Amino acid sequence: MRIIHLAFASVLLAACAGEVTETEPLTFEEFRAQAFQEPDTGVYIINGDEMAENEALLQEAYDRYLESVDTSGIGSSSHESIVNVVGGQWDRWSSSQAQNITYCISSKSFGSRYSAVVSAMNSAAGAWEAAGRLNFVHDSSQDGNCSARSNVVFDVQQVCRGQYLARSFFPSSKRRSREVLIDCTSFGNISPWTLAGVLRHELGHTIGLRHEHTRPESGTCFEDNNWAALTAYDSSSVMHYPQCNGTQNGDLVLTNLDKTGAGILYP
């Protein structure tokens, strides 16, 4: 059985995997076809809200996928919140950078929604700051001209693509790709989730956390095995899509295991 990730507008970050009863893994062409390529940046969005910055990195993501697939289509790993791994190392900020994760919020792109985004970002950042030695710093002095060129760790922008509610990045991403993009559909009815809940999930990625549902225990929505366990499997994790056999039914909030994982990653 192989797993295909399909992105849909106005579903939590993206719809989860559908199952196809075949033993063959995806070809690269199939893998690329189910990714969304942002028309202005050229970035490929895979696994719902994760990015591959160009086709070379998309090929690397595909190679990792192939290495991780066994004959059942589920990850061959039996490992036990999970962190992204790059070059065999945990993908995380240095201890000094973790204490000064600066960001700006584009007042131009959000317009009348700007204050709502400031509040939601502050709430989402506070949840992770309470869990580990992290400090997100909103540099509002740059909000009037906030862009990928701003002198901050990342910028927050509004887009209207309808392919995801929001997407972000991992610490290893290059500065030009370190953006939290919030789609205008996030300001509609996304109950039971809130904008702050969506951003709690996205900020989890910005500190290095992967989707919890790529672990074998979820039984679906497999992505790859390019991760390392921080805690036991958590089906209620803020990083677990509810539609991928997740058990968190309300807003996206941090569980005790999410907090434990952040504390291990940033002690």
Side-chain angles (χ1 to χ4, degrees):
M1 172 163 50
R2 67 182 182 182
I3 304 299
I4 300 178
H5 296 273
L6 302 171
F8 295 99
S10 302
V11 178
L12 174 62
L13 309 174
C16 193
E19 297 185 7
V20 180
T21 55
E22 298 178 11
T23 57
E24 298 83 5
L26 297 174
T27 65
F28 177 69
E29 289 71 23
E30 290 172 323
F31 187 83
R32 179 172 56 188
Q34 55 85 35
F36 168 67
Q37 187 174 24
E38 296 178 341
D40 51 344
T41 66
V43 166
Y44 290 92
I45 303 301
I46 59 175
N47 303 328
D49 64 340
E50 297 174 6
M51 66 175 181
E53 297 174 64
N54 50 48
E55 186 152 335
L57 292 177
L58 183 69
Q59 180 68 58
E60 290 182 15
Y62 176 69
D63 292 342
R64 291 195 300 270
Y65 156 77
L66 287 181
E67 291 170 359
S68 302
V69 174
D70 66 13
T71 57
S72 70
I74 304 299
S76 58
S77 168
S78 60
H79 295 162
E80 298 179 349
S81 203
I82 60 177
V83 61
N84 192 44
V85 171
V86 176
Q89 301 297 314
W90 288 3
D91 189 358
R92 59 178 172 176
W93 301 108
S94 67
S95 57
S96 58
Q97 185 67 80
Q99 288 294 296
N100 190 37
I101 306 175
T102 56
Y103 65 92
C104 61
I105 299 173
S106 173
S107 58
K108 291 180 180 178
S109 71
F110 287 109
S112 62
R113 296 166 170 167
Y114 168 77
S115 295
V117 176
V118 170
S119 177
M121 279 291 297
N122 186 59
S123 175
W128 289 110
E129 289 169 343
R133 289 183 60 81
L134 293 157
N135 187 33
F136 288 90
V137 180
H138 177 199
D139 184 354
S140 59
S141 69
Q142 300 195 53
D143 287 357
N145 194 31
C146 179
S147 73
R149 296 184 178 87
S150 297
N151 187 28
V152 287
V153 172
F154 69 92
D155 52 286
V156 184
Q157 306 280 344
Q158 179 174 244
V159 295
C160 291
R161 294 171 178 150
Q163 297 293 322
Y164 45 72
L165 293 183
R167 68 93 159 158
S168 55
F169 59 90
F170 290 121
S172 58
S173 301
K174 296 177 181 178
R175 173 60 187 96
R176 65 175 180 270
S177 298
R178 290 204 303 264
E179 296 185 300
V180 172
L181 300 184
I182 302 174
D183 196 81
C184 53
T185 54
S186 292
F187 298 97
N189 180 12
I190 58 172
S191 180
W193 311 300
T194 65
L195 179 60
V198 170
L199 290 174
R200 280 190 288 271
H201 177 99
E202 295 306 325
L203 291 190
H205 286 315
T206 73
I207 64 172
L209 297 180
R210 285 287 304 273
H211 289 140
E212 188 76 359
H213 49 260
T214 195
R215 296 165 71 144
E217 293 92 331
S218 75
T220 188
C221 298
F222 172 68
E223 296 169 1
D224 62 50
N225 283 330
N226 206 44
W227 50 267
L230 296 170
T231 70
Y233 171 67
D234 182 10
S235 64
S236 295
S237 171
V238 70
M239 303 309 296
H240 200 306
Y241 286 176
Q243 61 268 52
C244 293
N245 290 337
T247 56
Q248 184 168 148
N249 296 318
D251 199 9
L252 292 164
V253 297
L254 273 65
T255 65
N256 287 335
L257 283 176
D258 287 326
K259 296 172 185 177
T260 296
I264 292 171
L265 195 56
Y266 297 99

